[in-house]
Amino acid sequence: MPENRQYANTRTMGLMKGGTLMKKAIYITAAAVVAVIATTVGSSLYLLSYSLAPDPNRRDMDSAYTQLFNNYPDMRQWTDSMRAGGLLRDTFVVMPTGERHHALYARADGAHGRTAVIVHGYKDCAVKFLYLGRMYQRDLGWNILMPDLHAHGLSDGEAIQMGWLDRLDVIRWTEVAEELFRDSVCPSQLVVHGVSMGAATTMCVSGEKLPPYISRFIEDCGYTSVKDEFTVQLKEQFGLPTFPLIQVAGALCKMKYGWSFDEASPLRQVARCRRPMLFIHGDADDFVPTWMLKPLYKAKPGYKEVMVTRETGHARSFHDYPEDYRDKVGAFLKR
């Protein structure tokens, strides 16, 4: 009996020790899981904040003009002349969200209702893209309207929308442009022309149900989707794995801002576009990689054209080939 009791006590102690070790393993595993989740959520929140936070100096228009003139020194004379003559003007519109958004606009003699709505890129503003405004207004004879997107330039907004919800704002701006430049004889004819994130916005607009006066689109170095673009930047800039950061950040974006990385897809939108589109991309673009051009062009049904500029980086096609760029755009508009 004593031996049996000693065996039972030993067995009980063994079970208790095993149970304690099991509990410790469970606690350690749970702590590790919590740490991984906390790290993933924290990293995803950082990614969201880093990517969608507006430029803190976005309202500094003097700095924007300085950057424009540094990149395009010959722009100073035209810009100063247009501003001094009151030909380049500001306008503000209250969006359905209640936010106040800003745009620059200018008329062109003989435009007869032809207007270019020009959409700027990521963390930029309308001022920095006045080189395209001059091309349309002076060289091609089209009116121009150049909005500051949500959370850019002089427009309200707390977070960048990467072109997705921006498509709704740009559609509103096309309505403003049509009313502003309406001709009593000729029907209105609008082109939406965007660069980089503005190109993604343009493609997102193209997939919506639109009024007939929006006749065509020009996208210059736009990305296939927000998810694809952020995946590229995570790898190139930070050397980080995309899973699960992209998925978690996308879900957090949906919760905080009302849209997700998955739904923000210019590729899906351009597949719905039935109006002519010109695709432009530099063959040395590594910010929005040139490979994105192929699926976008392939997805677009109906009439389309493409221009690939040699040895050109991101959003530099006009800078490197201004005359070719102007001629290609002019010919596309005439067709």
Side-chain angles (χ1 to χ4, degrees):
M1 288 295 292
E3 292 182 359
N4 291 339
R5 189 178 294 113
Q6 184 178 3
Y7 171 75
N9 289 339
T10 302
R11 185 170 182 273
T12 300
M13 291 177 63
L15 290 173
M16 290 175 63
K17 186 176 181 180
T20 301
L21 291 174
M22 180 65 72
K23 287 180 180 179
K24 286 183 178 180
I26 292 173
Y27 292 151
I28 291 171
T29 301
V33 169
V34 169
V36 169
I37 292 174
T39 301
T40 301
V41 171
S43 300
S44 299
L45 284 170
Y46 176 79
L47 169 63
L48 205 60
S49 175
Y50 178 85
S51 303
L52 304 186
D55 182 348
N57 300 315
R58 62 184 172 130
R59 299 187 185 279
D60 185 354
M61 292 298 103
D62 289 338
S63 176
Y65 277 107
T66 298
Q67 290 183 49
L68 171 70
F69 299 147
N70 287 340
N71 289 328
Y72 301 92
D74 63 332
M75 280 295 301
R76 183 180 292 276
Q77 182 178 356
W78 178 85
T79 305
D80 289 348
S81 175
M82 292 287 287
R83 295 174 72 189
L87 301 176
L88 185 64
R89 302 183 179 184
D90 298 273
T91 187
F92 289 86
V93 168
V94 177
M95 293 296 173
T97 58
E99 294 172 337
R100 193 166 177 258
H101 284 198
H102 167 262
L104 296 171
Y105 73 95
R107 297 181 182 274
D109 294 336
H112 300 303
R114 298 179 305 165
T115 303
V117 176
I118 302 167
V119 191
H120 65 75
Y122 179 71
K123 294 193 177 183
D124 280 322
C125 64
V127 166
K128 297 179 187 178
F129 285 74
L130 277 169
Y131 62 89
L132 288 179
R134 182 183 66 172
M135 179 191 76
Y136 275 101
Q137 195 270 348
R138 186 192 69 181
D139 300 339
L140 301 178
W142 285 52
N143 305 310
I144 58 171
L145 186 140
M146 306 178 63
D148 285 333
L149 295 178
H150 176 94
H152 289 79
L154 299 180
S155 291
D156 291 343
E158 297 181 356
I160 296 170
Q161 301 178 144
M162 298 304 296
W164 181 237
L165 298 184
D166 296 309
R167 77 194 193 284
L168 306 177
D169 297 334
V170 170
I171 290 172
R172 175 68 185 111
W173 279 118
T174 64
E175 297 169 354
V176 172
E178 197 280 329
E179 294 170 3
L180 188 63
F181 299 119
R182 186 177 295 161
D183 188 85
S184 60
V185 177
C186 299
S188 298
Q189 182 183 167
L190 271 66
V191 59
V192 181
H193 184 150
V195 180
S196 189
M197 190 183 79
T201 307
T202 296
M203 289 186 283
C204 288
V205 169
S206 77
E208 298 296 313
K209 186 176 180 180
L210 301 170
Y213 54 75
I214 302 178
S215 62
R216 63 201 76 196
F217 302 93
I218 300 175
E219 77 86 18
D220 181 343
C221 63
Y223 40 81
T224 49
S225 70
V226 172
K227 184 177 181 180
D228 288 346
E229 180 59 19
F230 282 176
T231 295
V232 167
Q233 296 311 314
L234 272 177
K235 291 179 179 178
E236 294 296 322
Q237 291 194 41
F238 304 104
L240 294 174
T242 58
F243 180 83
L245 291 180
I246 290 291
Q247 288 73 17
V248 175
L252 292 171
C253 186
K254 182 70 172 180
M255 293 169 59
K256 190 171 184 179
Y257 300 119
W259 63 275
S260 71
F261 297 169
D262 287 326
E263 67 185 291
S265 173
L267 179 63
R268 193 158 50 240
Q269 289 290 98
V270 84
R272 301 187 181 111
C273 176
R274 296 298 184 271
R275 302 179 195 194
M277 182 174 291
L278 170 60
F279 296 81
I280 301 173
H281 220 110
D283 69 2
D285 192 340
D286 57 4
F287 189 78
V288 176
T290 309
W291 65 258
M292 291 189 180
L293 172 62
K294 186 175 181 179
L296 287 167
Y297 186 81
K298 184 178 179 180
K300 167 70 176 77
Y303 189 81
K304 54 192 173 183
E305 295 183 23
V306 64
M307 176 184 183
V308 178
T309 50
R310 300 185 310 276
E311 299 179 5
T312 301
H314 183 63
R316 301 284 288 181
S317 291
F318 180 89
H319 182 274
D320 294 351
Y321 298 92
E323 294 181 1
D324 293 342
Y325 195 106
R326 178 201 62 206
D327 293 346
K328 182 66 175 179
V329 169
F332 174 72
L333 295 178
K334 289 179 181 178
R335 294 191 188 99

